[in-house]
Each structure stands twice: as C-alpha cells, then as structure tokens.
Amino acid sequence: MTIPHANSVGLSGVTVEPQPIAASPSALRSAAAADLEEDSGRLVYDPVLLLAYYRRRPFKVIARFLSIVWPFLRFGIGIWWDRRRGRSPRHSRQRAIQLRQILTDLGPAYIKIGQALSTRPDLVPPLYLEELTLLQDQLPPFPNEMAFQFIEEELGDRPEEIYAEISPKPVAAASLGQVYKGKLKTGETVAIKVQRPDLQERISLDLYIARRLAAWAQKNVKRIRSNLVAIADEFGARIYEEMDYTHEGQNAERFAELYGHLSDIYIPKIYWEYTQRRVLTMEWVVGTKLTQLDAIRAQGLDASHLIEVGVQCSLRQLLEHGFFHADPHPGNLLASPDGKLVYLDFGMMSEVKPYQRYGLIEAVVHLVNRDFSGLAHDYVKLEFLTPDTDLTPIIPALGNVFSDALGASVAELNFKSITDQLSELMYEYPFRVPAYYALIIRSLVTLEGIAINVDPNFKVLSKAYPYVSKRLLTDPAPELRASLQDLLFKEGRFRWNRLENLLRNAKDSDDYDLDRVLDQAIDFLFSERGTFIRDRLVDEIVKAVDTLGRNAIAKATDQFRQRVGLNGRKPPASAAVTSTDQQSLEHIQRIWGILQETRGFDPGKILPLIPKLLTKPETQRMGQQIASALAQRVAVRFIREVLLADEAKTTAPLNQPQPPAKHPQLSLPSAAIFER
C-alpha cells in the first residue's frame, strides 16, 4: 500500500504525480505510518494530491463510506425501535455506550466530533454526555510494543535507555496518541505522548470523503451558500498539523510566550531533546479536569473563577494576538493544585488575521449599540457577505433577530444563542460561513459548554465585555478609535452613560492600565483625528459648567429668599436647569467616582499633565470656544429672561393675562441651540 507524498502542490498550483512509498520493514508499522513529510520534516495537508490518490482507489473509498454510514444507520434504527416499543428510558444507557463505541471505532476525526459534543450539556442528554466524556482521554490504548517501537525509531534508542523511568501502561489515551508518565535522567517528571499507528492513512481517507461530501452538498443543495470545501480544508490543515508533534511543541512555546504571563495561566515546558514528529516529551503537570467539580472543590479551588480565567485568555487569543487554541475540551484544560488553569495539547491551533480581530470587536460594539446597519457592514468585512450584497433587506432582519435576542442586556446572551439566531438568517439571506470562523465557533462553543457545566447561569459575554471595553479604551488602532466614536456619539450628542459603562466594565479587566488610557486619550484628543471629539467635548464642557453655575446660582438664590422671607416667589421657569444637562452632570460625577475606584488611580499623576495640556494650541482654542459659548449662553439668557420679560410686563394691560412677547425685529438664536 502506498500513500501520496504530502508536499507536491504549492501556491504555484503545479501538480507533481504522487510518488509511492514502500511499506516499512518493521512489522509494527504500516505504510500509513511511513514518513510522509516535506524536506523540512513537516506534514502538510494537500487536498489536490489526496483527490488524485483516492480517485484511483474507489473500492477503498466506498468500503470506508459504508463502514461510516452503516453503524449510524443501525444506531438510528435502534433509537426508533426503542421509541416504538416504549423502552427508550431503559435503553438510553446502552444507546449512549453504542454511540461512544461507534465514534471510537470510526477513528480520530469522529472522536473529535464526540469530544465537541461532550462539552454541551445544553444539547446532549446526561447519559450520552457521560459516555462521550470518556472520549476526551479514556480511549482504548494501542499496544506498548508498538508505542515503544515508535519511541526507538524517533529518538534513536529504546525507551529504557532514554528515560530514567516510564510507566508500564499509558496513563491516558486520546484521539491521536497516548500518554505515558516518565522521568528524565536529569530528574524531571515528564509526559511522553506517542502517536497512534495508521493515523495518517485513516485521517486522510476520512478527510477525502468529508471533502467530497462537502463539494456534493455545496453543488446540489441550493440553500447552502457557505464554502463547505474550504471549511473541510481548514479542518484538514489543522488536523495534519496536529499529527506533527514537533509542530505542536512549537505551538506550545509560542502560546506560552503570548499568554503564559497572564495571571493564573500555566503552560508546560517542552523537552526538545526528547521530541520528534511522532513522540512529544513535555513537563508533567498535576491537575484536575474542569468538569470534575467535586474534586476541584475538595482542593478549595473555585471552578467558576478558572472558567473566567479561560474566557479572558480566549478573548486575548482571538482578539489580541490572533493565535488561538482550537480544541479546548475538558481533557485539555486542567485546574492545578495551586489554582492555575493549565493548557494542554497544542496540536490544533489556528490564527485570526488582524482585520478579522478588529472586525469581531466592531461587531460586538455594533451589537451592543444596536447599530444593525453597522453590524451588516461588519459581516461584509468578516467575509460572511460579499461586497456586492444588497444590505437593504438584511439590516431590518438583523434588527428583528437580535432585538429579541438582546432583551434587556447583551450580558444575557451566550454564543450558542447568537449562532442559533444567525442560523435563521443564513438560509434566508446570502450569508456564508468563512473557513476561519468555523474553528473560532468550535473553540468558543466548546469553552462555553465547559462553562455551562460548571455554572448553568454563566454568561460568557458578560465576562467578556470588560475586556472589550478595555480594548476600546486603550487600543490605538484606527478601526477601534472609530468604533469608540460610534459608541460614544449619537446624532451629535455625547452619551455619557456609554462612557460610564465602558469605564466601569474596563476597570474589572485584570490588565487594565489607567495611565495608558489617559496617555492614549490625550494623544488621540489632540491629534488631527480627535478634532471631532474636541468639538463635541467643548459642547459638553459648556453644558456642564453652565449647569454647575446655574445650580449654584439657584441654590444661593433659594437660600437668600429663605433669609428675607420670599419663599413663596418662584424663580422664572426658564431659569431651571434642563433634565438632560442635569443628567450629564450626574454622569460626569459618577465617572469621576469610577476613576477614583479604578486600580492605579493617582491624582498626583494627573496634576503634572495640566501645565502640559495648557500649552497646547488645541487647548487654547478649546478654552476660547468654551468662553465664547458660555458668554453667548449668558447673553441669550439675560436678554430672554430679563430684558424681554420686563418689556412684556410694561406693555401688558393691568389685571389681564400677559400674552407671549413677539419681537420680529429682534432675531436671536434660541437658548436651546447652545444647550444641546
């Protein structure tokens, strides 16, 4: 049996005829375990060569297809028969075991499907959930002799010569390999992961079948507009990378570099001297799966806090650096005895490009803002819609769907509800699911499933919004500056309540740096791009100062009346402070209180900024604008409330109601213009 070399097609599209590889002379290795590598020693997924290879082997493909369909068909008939005979409850356990065995027998690709389902207590009945959980790290192992042979072939010597100790049996067995506990001769305790035999052959055939089915569905089912072939290829590329343990080790070190500094996150060390393509040696970590709640509580640990740590880390993976763990099932997330969240298994990783990261944040902002026009354009940027799509009918459809879903607060949403709501639109409008997005959803939905298992009321978006708020306030990227402007301004008015909410949420983010926020806010405010905000800020300062002044005058006047016995005489109605101005003032006071409560707040750091700001030409212009606007307000109010009121009194007949004064010869702007 021969399998095609996996590196013959590059970006140039030049196809090279697959070269046969002879079977290994070792009786313990099949042809599928032969080294199918690039010159660099790395496996590469190549759908073109897989297509060419398996097209010449139709009977092999048909046999595998039937071996997949037949057990699921029997399973479905069995469930139907149980219901028909009224014995479903009694046979649920047997059916759950049957499903787990089917997925196990079908191999790694289907085991991964079962692992994803094992994290969704909101989708899968408890008995099935319990059985599918066994797919995380309790699969049937393969013989030690074969595993030790692989260690010898990869590392150049027998395991007992390489390691000081190695467990007689694997301590865990997962979809792609099994793990032994060992000890190096230098004393470190390690986990030794050895790849399963025949892995590439089985996965390659399954990927080929999945890709052909995706192509058929994409061509013949008109309601499917997503590029299912691209999604299958994305999954194939990731799972091929997962079969290369040297690549996994590099992923682990990159992950540690990007996220290892975060509070309560731990990533094990890789021992490169004992690592090759089919053998990985890494630091042994003691930990408890996040789904084992009783064991976690017995150690005095807070599972909800660890889930929150995982959510915050995932947000940074997806929205900050773009390098994310695409397979965070419970077998890969552990609670260490000292309360850290341990990440394992870095084989299936993926990346989000910068424009996609910013697009996702902008989409969250528009969703919170209920700006469905902006959200529709976000879907174009994120490649859910083509640039030539007519958004006219889609915008109100998004409003209908998400207005109901959002309810009172975006914090009540979960990712599943969002995807469920979106699925209603996918069939009606020309949406398509980009390949990169499928792995993101898989990662987030899996993480959310773990969170729901820990706390059924856990709201991922509620925990995510502090991070999004922090990014909006601190990230200097033009895309997010525009999103911040959209969030804070509406129809020319500054929405203090949104700024208040942003600051309140951001201060709960672990790495929120108030000094950085102030520095960036000042830099942006006095830049050319900040002209719009400076103009609006002038308006808000004028209103705030005017409100404070009027409140002070009203209070002093009231105290004077009380002293001279004029309590019964009310001030003119026009002198009252508007409720909008009063609310803005109250927001400013609350914002100051939030800043005082924020970690790292120090008034002593703000005072030195004042002389620096006063010397800026923009500050001087703002001061002139503020003084001019305040003077206009005072002048207009004096004319309206004193001069015009006195003239109206002198011209009105005695003992008769005074009609409104009309002065066509005097054209003054309404005070409301200056108070907006």
Side-chain angles (χ1 to χ4, degrees):
M1 181 186 297
T2 58
I3 302 290
H5 195 276
N7 69 333
S8 302
V9 174
L11 295 177
S12 63
V14 178
T15 305
V16 179
E17 185 66 15
Q19 298 298 316
I21 296 179
S24 168
S26 171
L28 296 175
R29 297 182 62 196
S30 70
D35 291 339
L36 310 173
E37 307 169 356
E38 283 188 329
D39 294 337
S40 63
R42 176 171 295 177
L43 289 173
V44 176
Y45 170 71
D46 191 331
V48 176
L49 285 182
L50 288 181
L51 184 68
Y53 178 77
Y54 285 112
R55 269 181 174 170
R56 299 197 298 269
R57 293 159 177 80
F59 295 110
K60 187 178 185 64
V61 174
I62 292 171
R64 177 58 177 167
F65 180 73
L66 293 177
S67 73
I68 295 169
V69 172
W70 176 241
F72 282 117
L73 184 62
R74 289 178 53 202
F75 177 73
I77 293 173
I79 290 179
W80 173 81
W81 185 250
D82 288 343
R83 290 176 179 172
R84 183 75 180 268
R85 299 292 298 269
R87 58 184 187 182
S88 295
R90 287 183 298 153
H91 284 69
S92 291
R93 170 68 70 180
Q94 289 91 326
R95 295 302 177 197
I97 294 173
Q98 182 185 4
L99 178 60
R100 173 176 58 79
Q101 290 174 338
I102 289 172
L103 295 173
T104 301
D105 293 341
L106 288 177
Y110 296 88
I111 290 170
K112 287 191 172 295
I113 294 173
Q115 289 172 343
L117 290 174
S118 73
T119 66
R120 299 304 312 197
D122 52 335
L123 300 178
V124 180
L127 285 175
Y128 284 81
L129 201 69
E130 184 179 337
E131 287 298 321
L132 292 177
T133 300
L134 300 177
L135 296 175
Q136 293 166 7
D137 56 9
Q138 298 181 45
L139 293 168
F142 59 92
N144 276 355
E145 291 80 6
M146 191 171 292
F148 291 170
Q149 177 70 23
F150 284 0
I151 292 175
E152 182 175 359
E153 291 176 355
E154 294 293 319
L155 303 184
D157 208 340
R158 294 290 299 169
E160 59 269 20
E161 299 297 327
I162 297 172
Y163 302 101
E165 297 178 12
I166 187 168
S167 58
K169 295 180 181 179
V171 295
S175 56
L176 302 189
Q178 60 192 33
V179 179
Y180 295 85
K181 184 177 182 180
K183 182 174 287 189
L184 301 181
K185 293 183 178 181
T186 50
E188 297 94 333
T189 303
V190 294
I192 306 161
K193 184 158 71 168
V194 185
Q195 196 171 103
R196 288 183 178 274
D198 299 330
L199 189 62
Q200 186 176 348
E201 179 185 9
R202 301 186 70 176
I203 286 178
S204 297
L205 182 53
D206 285 344
L207 288 173
Y208 169 79
I209 292 173
R211 195 176 191 276
R212 290 296 300 272
L213 290 174
W216 180 89
Q218 194 169 305
K219 181 179 180 180
N220 294 282
V221 182
K222 294 182 179 180
R223 303 198 73 174
I224 295 178
R225 286 176 290 268
S226 298
N227 192 339
L228 298 184
V229 173
I231 292 173
D233 286 342
E234 176 73 12
F235 181 76
R238 299 289 81 78
I239 202 167
Y240 255 66
E241 289 177 353
E242 194 172 4
M243 288 190 290
D244 187 340
Y245 285 170
T246 57
H247 188 68
E248 178 176 346
Q250 292 165 358
N251 285 341
E253 291 194 337
R254 183 181 175 192
F255 194 88
E257 181 182 350
L258 294 175
Y259 314 112
H261 67 281
L262 297 177
S263 176
D264 297 330
I265 294 290
Y266 190 81
I267 295 97
K269 176 184 176 182
I270 303 296
Y271 292 93
W272 285 108
E273 187 179 349
Y274 309 96
T275 295
Q276 290 294 334
R277 188 175 70 79
R278 291 179 296 160
V279 177
L280 174 68
T281 303
M282 65 192 304
E283 176 186 357
W284 178 268
V285 180
V286 177
T288 308
K289 287 199 290 187
L290 293 184
T291 49
Q292 297 175 343
L293 299 181
D294 292 338
I296 289 177
R297 293 191 190 103
Q299 299 175 64
L301 304 177
D302 184 354
S304 295
H305 170 70
L306 290 172
I307 287 294
E308 189 169 339
V309 169
V311 169
Q312 296 300 319
C313 185
S314 292
L315 289 168
R316 284 161 176 78
Q317 293 173 47
L318 292 171
L319 303 178
E320 194 164 325
H321 298 292
F323 183 64
F324 71 96
H325 198 300
D327 195 20
H329 65 72
N332 294 337
L333 294 174
L334 303 179
S336 70
D338 59 350
K340 291 184 180 292
L341 181 66
V342 181
Y343 277 84
L344 301 174
D345 196 345
F346 301 93
M348 184 169 284
M349 310 292 289
S350 191
E351 296 205 44
V352 188
K353 297 176 182 176
Y355 79 90
Q356 295 164 345
R357 294 177 229 159
Y358 291 125
L360 289 169
I361 296 177
E362 290 177 275
V364 171
V365 171
H366 289 141
L367 187 62
V368 172
N369 215 20
R370 289 170 171 79
D371 179 0
F372 300 114
S373 175
L375 187 61
H377 286 88
D378 291 334
Y379 283 127
V380 175
K381 294 179 189 176
L382 292 170
E383 301 167 8
F384 282 80
L385 297 167
T386 58
D388 59 347
T389 303
D390 180 11
L391 301 180
T392 305
I394 295 176
I395 292 170
L398 287 169
N400 292 334
V401 168
F402 283 115
S403 290
D404 294 337
L406 285 171
S409 170
V410 71
E412 296 304 311
L413 273 176
N414 55 41
F415 287 111
K416 181 180 179 297
S417 68
I418 291 176
T419 53
D420 287 348
Q421 295 291 341
L422 273 177
S423 66
E424 297 179 14
L425 296 178
M426 294 290 182
Y427 291 106
E428 190 171 351
Y429 298 99
F431 282 85
R432 57 184 184 179
V433 178
Y436 76 90
Y437 184 72
L439 282 176
I440 292 177
I441 285 296
R442 182 179 187 272
S443 175
L444 291 177
V445 170
T446 301
L447 181 63
E448 185 182 66
I450 300 172
I452 292 172
N453 184 72
V454 173
D455 178 4
N457 297 317
F458 193 96
K459 300 297 180 183
V460 172
L461 279 182
S462 178
K463 303 298 182 183
Y465 202 58
Y467 171 79
V468 174
S469 300
K470 189 262 303 187
R471 284 292 300 279
L472 284 172
L473 290 169
T474 61
D475 197 314
E479 297 91 341
L480 296 193
R481 296 295 91 189
S483 293
L484 182 61
Q485 181 174 302
D486 290 343
L487 191 67
L488 296 181
F489 291 94
K490 184 177 182 181
E491 297 175 354
R493 292 189 64 88
F494 190 87
R495 294 191 283 186
W496 290 103
N497 62 316
R498 287 291 171 87
L499 179 59
E500 183 182 339
N501 290 334
L502 277 176
L503 291 169
R504 181 179 291 111
N505 279 286
K507 75 182 181 67
D508 296 329
S509 185
D510 291 338
D511 58 348
Y512 180 57
D513 187 344
L514 184 58
D515 291 338
R516 184 180 174 193
V517 172
L518 292 175
D519 290 341
Q520 291 185 348
I522 291 170
D523 290 343
F524 181 73
L525 181 63
F526 291 99
S527 69
E528 184 177 347
R529 290 178 295 146
T531 303
F532 174 83
I533 294 190
R534 287 199 302 273
D535 292 341
R536 297 301 181 272
L537 190 58
V538 166
D539 293 340
E540 296 302 324
I541 291 174
V542 168
K543 287 189 289 186
V545 172
D546 187 51
T547 301
L548 283 171
R550 292 163 70 184
N551 281 343
I553 293 171
K555 185 176 181 180
T557 303
D558 186 58
Q559 291 175 348
F560 176 76
R561 288 198 189 96
Q562 290 178 4
R563 289 183 180 181
V564 299
L566 297 175
N567 293 341
R569 186 175 177 180
K570 302 295 183 184
S574 60
V577 177
T578 65
S579 61
T580 302
D581 288 351
Q582 184 62 40
Q583 288 173 2
S584 295
L585 181 60
E586 292 171 357
H587 279 303
I588 293 172
Q589 292 170 337
R590 284 197 294 269
I591 285 170
W592 179 249
I594 293 170
L595 292 175
Q596 290 177 308
E597 296 170 2
T598 302
R599 184 175 57 254
F601 175 79
D602 183 2
K605 295 181 180 179
I606 298 176
L607 293 176
L609 295 175
I610 296 176
K612 178 182 176 182
L613 295 179
L614 291 177
T615 59
K616 288 181 177 290
E618 294 85 1
T619 306
Q620 296 170 10
R621 282 194 292 271
M622 288 175 67
Q624 293 169 359
Q625 291 173 323
I626 291 169
S628 175
L630 284 171
Q632 290 182 59
R633 280 184 172 233
V634 172
V636 169
R637 191 175 299 115
F638 177 77
I639 293 171
R640 187 180 61 191
E641 296 172 5
V642 178
L643 298 182
L644 298 185
D646 289 344
E647 184 178 343
K649 289 178 183 179
T650 58
T651 57
L654 295 175
N655 301 324
Q656 288 188 11
Q658 298 178 4
K662 296 182 179 179
H663 299 276
Q665 75 280 8
L666 181 62
S667 180
L668 290 174
S670 167
I673 292 177
F674 301 104
E675 295 171 1
R676 282 184 298 192

